[in-house]
Amino acid sequence: MSPFEYAPAPESRAVVDIASSYGLYIGGQFVEATGGAPFKTVNPATEEVLAEVSEASADDVDVAVKAARTAYTRVWSRMSGADRGKYLFRIARILQERAREFAVLETLDNGKPIKEARDVDLPLAAAHFFYHAGWADKLDHASLGPNPRPLGVVGQIVPWNFPLLMLAWKIAPALACGNTVVIKPAETTPLTALLFASVCEQAELPPGVVNIVTGAGATGQAIVDHPGIDKLAFTGSTAVGKMIARSIAGTRKKATLELGGKAANIIFDDAPIDQAVEGIVNGIFFNQGHVCCAGSRILVQESIAEELDHRLKRRLATLRVGDPMDKNTDVGAINSRKQLDRIEEMVAVGEAEGAERWDSGCALPTNGFWFRPTVFSGVSQTHRIAQEEIFGPVVSVLTFRTPAEAVAKANNTPYGLSAGIWTEKGSRILWMADQLRAGVVWANTFNKFDPTSPFGGYKESGYGREGGRHGLEAYVTSAGPYGRASEAARPQGGSR
Ligand code: NAD
Ligand code: MG
């Protein structure tokens, strides 16, 4: 089936103003980095250099942590929750007002389709600030224990797949609870975080409450190792998550880790099949499959496997892959050369293991980093493409006969972040959801996010929850009835 012809519908980039180079945002102003060599961030759809960004050294991180500490002790931890909430409401409204500017910049720096940056990343980022603004003056009533108190200075490290949205997931709850932050965006996507500094200024956020340092793994490690950090919040790969857990073992630092996933999207023979196909597309081809909770394994009931295969491939042939700034584009650019290499390597492994590879055959642009929507069938549980995160537009299809077999196969990975169930039977959905070792289970839908709903994993997908009332727990300590803000003061089996 040939796709419809579309006229180009390019979004204008005139709405963003990208500087040629950026410093670090510390203590309410941009300062020059002291040590490291600056690095470039590119547009992965064109390989055009967008800007030069500073690499924060351990000394720069130290200055940022001290700025955060000063803001914490002098201003932010003393402010009433209602007043903190006003700043968060302001930030949320400014993000809404400047949504187009942020969406365009996110698409340029990350490679995701503009329709996703515009309709998913930005509305959700604003929603996270609105939601947590509402909590700021209600923490005493959130079952967080008596007199919940902030932890202090929080170090936050985010990945490149949802740069601004992950920043919002991190900063909004931390600030609502009275903490101050030092945050590091990923090295390939620092620009929306740097633009967020201007939102802090516009909101007149007190200097030092939010500090933004750029750099790669070494800068992240400097945050992890800094003795002035009270809590770490990390989203990224399981390998780095494990290193962080080792680094802070034996210290008083708390941590939440949001790591990878290898989610099963389970299709029963009574599922509405065309809706399930849309759910698969949304599950693994949204954001080029650069999604920790992506539905990267399809488990399909054997009796409908052939039909699903046919309908899925017919649908994938209509996906429009290409210029992320075109409003008709469904699948954008792979975020970096490094990630493209990783996807190509894993796909070669899948073929070598004997799985059958199919791709949509669509034309790809000549410059930039691209990968066609790809389906592997005949995958067995021991294949690496059934066990390891590929983090690209590649899905592995496995079959099952009974619900019990579906559960066993779904749970047979080191991860446990999310799962999807497609069936007409409500009782089966509830039974399955109860058996699946996954932090989020979607029924007859996939990749639905809401700030009110806690998100997080089991097993190697990490620990802690973000979002919802549960997400606040990671950012407070209960001072107990006599006001002593220490763990020891908490009653046994306390209410956190
Ligand atoms: P990564 O874990 O290396 O990067 C995530 C963040 O951690 C970045 O900001 C990075 O600079 C920082 N970082 C790297 N090394 C660090 C260290 N030693 N200490 C502190 N911070 C450090 O991920 P990646 O290399 O960009 O991607 C590799 C794989 O990770 C992907 O293929 C994918 O499977 C997975 N991944 C998962 C997520 C997710 O949302 N869970 C996001 C990105 C990548
Ligand atoms: Mg970039």
Side-chain angles (χ1 to χ4, degrees), residues 131-132 135 139 142-144 169 173 177 231 256 258 439 450-456 463-476 495-496:
Y131 174 74
H132 288 97
W135 270 126
L139 299 174
S143 302
L144 300 168
W169 279 34
C177 293
K231 180 216 154 46
T256 41
E258 293 285 350
D450 191 297
T452 66
S453 176
F455 182 91
Y463 44 77
R465 293 292 179 268
E466 294 187 297
R469 192 197 63 76
H470 297 79
L472 301 169
E473 293 176 355
Y475 287 99
V476 296
S495 48
R496 261 188 68 201

Side-chain angles (χ1 to χ4, degrees), residues 33-112:
T34 57
F39 61 95
K40 295 177 171 58
T41 184
V42 303
N43 176 346
T46 60
E47 299 176 60
E48 166 206 5
V49 173
L50 294 171
E52 209 172 71
V53 180
S54 306
E55 187 193 20
S57 65
D59 289 343
D60 297 321
V61 168
D62 182 51
V63 177
V65 172
K66 285 180 174 142
R69 177 66 57 191
T70 305
Y72 176 74
T73 45
R74 295 204 189 141
V75 186
W76 200 246
S77 66
R78 296 172 175 219
M79 198 181 275
S80 71
D83 282 342
R84 290 198 307 272
K86 286 181 199 166
Y87 287 101
L88 292 175
F89 276 122
R90 273 189 209 165
I91 291 172
R93 282 195 300 267
I94 295 167
L95 281 177
Q96 281 186 322
E97 282 161 15
R98 298 175 61 181
R100 186 149 167 247
E101 180 188 359
F102 271 94
V104 168
L105 187 61
E106 196 75 301
T107 285
L108 289 173
D109 203 15
N110 168 280
K112 65 176 68 204

Side-chain angles (χ1 to χ4, degrees), residues 277 323 388 450:
V277 166
D323 182 6
E388 294 178 31
D450 191 297

Side-chain angles (χ1 to χ4, degrees), residues 160-161 260 288-292 334 339 342-343 389-393:
W160 43 263
N161 50 346
Q288 297 74 244
H290 301 328
V291 184
C292 47
I334 300 305
Q339 190 60 26
R342 155 106 185 137
I343 295 167
E389 196 173 33
I390 299 173
F391 226 63

Side-chain angles (χ1 to χ4, degrees), residues 6 105 119 143 164 260 278 393 420:
Y6 284 79
L105 187 61
D119 298 348
S143 302
L164 183 75
E278 291 312 307

Side-chain angles (χ1 to χ4, degrees), residues 167-221:
L167 173 146
W169 279 34
K170 297 280 180 279
I171 292 183
L175 265 51
C177 293
N179 305 277
T180 59
V181 310
V182 175
I183 189 165
K184 189 193 85 63
E187 53 273 35
T188 58
T189 55
L191 295 182
T192 47
L194 292 164
L195 188 61
F196 185 78
S198 73
V199 174
C200 297
E201 307 219 310
Q202 216 178 322
E204 294 175 14
L205 192 70
V209 172
V210 169
N211 303 277
I212 301 160
V213 296
T214 46
T219 306
Q221 192 70 51

Side-chain angles (χ1 to χ4, degrees), residues 157-162 166 184-188 215-222 224 234-241 243-244 258-261 290-293 338-339 342 389-391 415 417:
I157 298 167
V158 294
W160 43 263
N161 50 346
F162 295 93
M166 288 302 103
K184 189 193 85 63
E187 53 273 35
T188 58
T219 306
Q221 192 70 51
V224 172
F234 171 77
T235 299
S237 62
T238 297
V240 174
M243 277 163 57
I244 292 176
E258 293 285 350
L259 311 175
H290 301 328
V291 184
C292 47
C293 53
K338 181 178 152 205
Q339 190 60 26
R342 155 106 185 137
E389 196 173 33
I390 299 173
F391 226 63
Y415 295 110
L417 194 53

